Amino acid sequence: MNIEMFQTSLKEKGIELTEKQLSQFEKYFHLLVEWNEKMNLTGITEKEEVYLKHFYDSVTAAFYFNFKQDITVCDVGAGAGFPAIPLKICFPEIKLTVVDSLNKRIGFLEHVVKELGLENVSMYHDRAETFAHKPEFRQQFDLVMARAVARLSVLSELCLPLVKKGGHFLGMKGANLPEEVKEGEKAVKLLGGKIEDVHSFLLPIEESERNIVIIEKVKETPKKFPRKPGTPNKSPIQ
C-alpha cells in the first residue's frame, strides 16, 4: 500500500489526513526501520508493507469505533506502537496511555512520541496483570485496546479490568475469532463485559482476514482479576 493509496483509503472511510499527519506517518516509518536494526520491533520493514500491515491495519479500529472525541484510550501490549500510535496520529485529541512489558520498546515509543510531537501520551513499563491492579488505572479508561495473538479469554482478563463501567474493550485479531468468541463468552461475562459486536473484513491488497471484537463493560470486574502475571495465559478462564 503506497502513501497515496493509504491516504485515499482512509479518506473513503471519513478520515482525512493533513500534510502534518502524513509527515508524522513518514517519520514514524523511518524511526521504526532505524530502531529495528538495533532491537527486534517488527519483521515487517518494507515501506508498502508497513503502511498496509501496521499503519492501515491499526487505523481500521476507527472504522468501527468513534475516536473523534476526547476519550481516554489504553493500549495494552503495544509492542512497536500498534494500534496506539497510528490512531493517535489520526485522532490527536484522544488521551493515550501505552503499557508494554519490555522497557526497550517503551524507550522506542517515548522517542517516537517526542519526534512526532504527540501530546497527551503516557508510557508505562509494566505487565498488564499488575498494571490493572493499580487504583489510578483500574476501571479508569473509556476504551482499552489490544492488537494481539493471545486468545480472547486471555485478552479479556488483561484488558477488561482497566475499562470503566460503560466503556469498551476493543480486540483486534486475525482469523478464527468467531470460535474464540464462543470459547471466551464465559470469561467476558465473569470479567464484567458483554460482547456488543464482531466485525469481520479483509485487509486490502493481500485480502487476509481481520476481526474486531467490541465488548461493552456492563459491570465491575471482580477484585481478584487479573490473576498473577503469566496465569491468564497458562490457564485461561474456561
Side-chain angles (χ1 to χ4, degrees), residues 38-208:
K38 299 179 271 186
M39 56 188 281
N40 182 24
L41 289 166
T42 176
I44 299 165
T45 53
E46 199 269 310
K47 192 169 188 175
E48 297 199 348
E49 296 248 303
V50 170
Y51 267 82
L52 175 67
K53 294 179 184 175
H54 284 329
F55 296 171
Y56 181 85
D57 193 22
S58 292
V59 182
T60 58
F63 303 168
Y64 306 103
F65 192 88
N66 181 15
F67 285 84
K68 293 177 183 175
Q69 50 186 327
D70 179 15
I71 57 170
T72 52
V73 179
C74 180
D75 183 2
V76 173
F82 310 118
I85 303 295
L87 286 165
K88 177 67 180 171
I89 293 171
C90 291
F91 306 100
E93 61 278 12
I94 64 175
K95 291 189 179 77
L96 181 64
T97 297
V98 173
V99 188
D100 197 86
S101 60
L102 199 65
N103 204 24
K104 283 201 296 188
R105 282 197 293 251
I106 290 292
F108 164 69
L109 293 174
E110 283 173 341
H111 183 70
V112 167
V113 164
K114 189 174 167 229
E115 289 292 306
L116 270 52
L118 301 175
E119 293 172 354
N120 279 326
V121 182
S122 306
M123 302 278 173
Y124 295 94
H125 169 227
D126 206 346
R127 292 282 301 243
E129 295 96 328
T130 49
F131 187 76
H133 280 289
K134 292 177 176 168
E136 65 269 38
F137 304 119
R138 189 172 181 85
Q139 302 189 129
Q140 294 300 312
F141 295 95
D142 297 312
L143 178 69
V144 177
M145 306 182 69
R147 179 179 180 249
V149 289
R151 298 187 76 73
L152 184 63
S153 54
V154 177
L155 286 182
S156 298
E157 183 169 354
L158 300 178
C159 297
L160 275 169
L162 292 162
V163 183
K164 63 166 69 160
K165 199 173 159 190
H168 292 84
F169 161 50
L170 190 151
M172 305 181 77
K173 306 280 295 170
N176 306 322
L177 186 69
E179 170 198 325
E180 277 187 43
V181 166
K182 211 171 173 184
E183 262 180 32
E185 271 176 353
K186 184 186 171 186
V188 169
K189 195 174 175 186
L190 180 62
L191 295 154
K194 180 181 155 213
I195 295 166
E196 200 174 88
D197 262 315
V198 178
H199 301 279
S200 299
F201 59 97
L202 297 176
L203 205 59
I205 304 164
E206 65 169 30
E207 303 210 321
S208 52

Side-chain angles (χ1 to χ4, degrees), residues 201-233:
F201 59 97
L202 297 176
L203 205 59
I205 304 164
E206 65 169 30
E207 303 210 321
S208 52
E209 188 187 335
R210 292 291 186 272
N211 286 280
I212 288 178
V213 59
I214 298 175
I215 295 170
E216 187 188 357
K217 181 79 172 274
V218 290
K219 60 180 197 288
E220 295 206 347
T221 301
K223 283 190 173 68
K224 67 173 182 176
F225 297 110
R227 291 165 293 165
K228 284 180 186 157
T231 309
N233 242 325

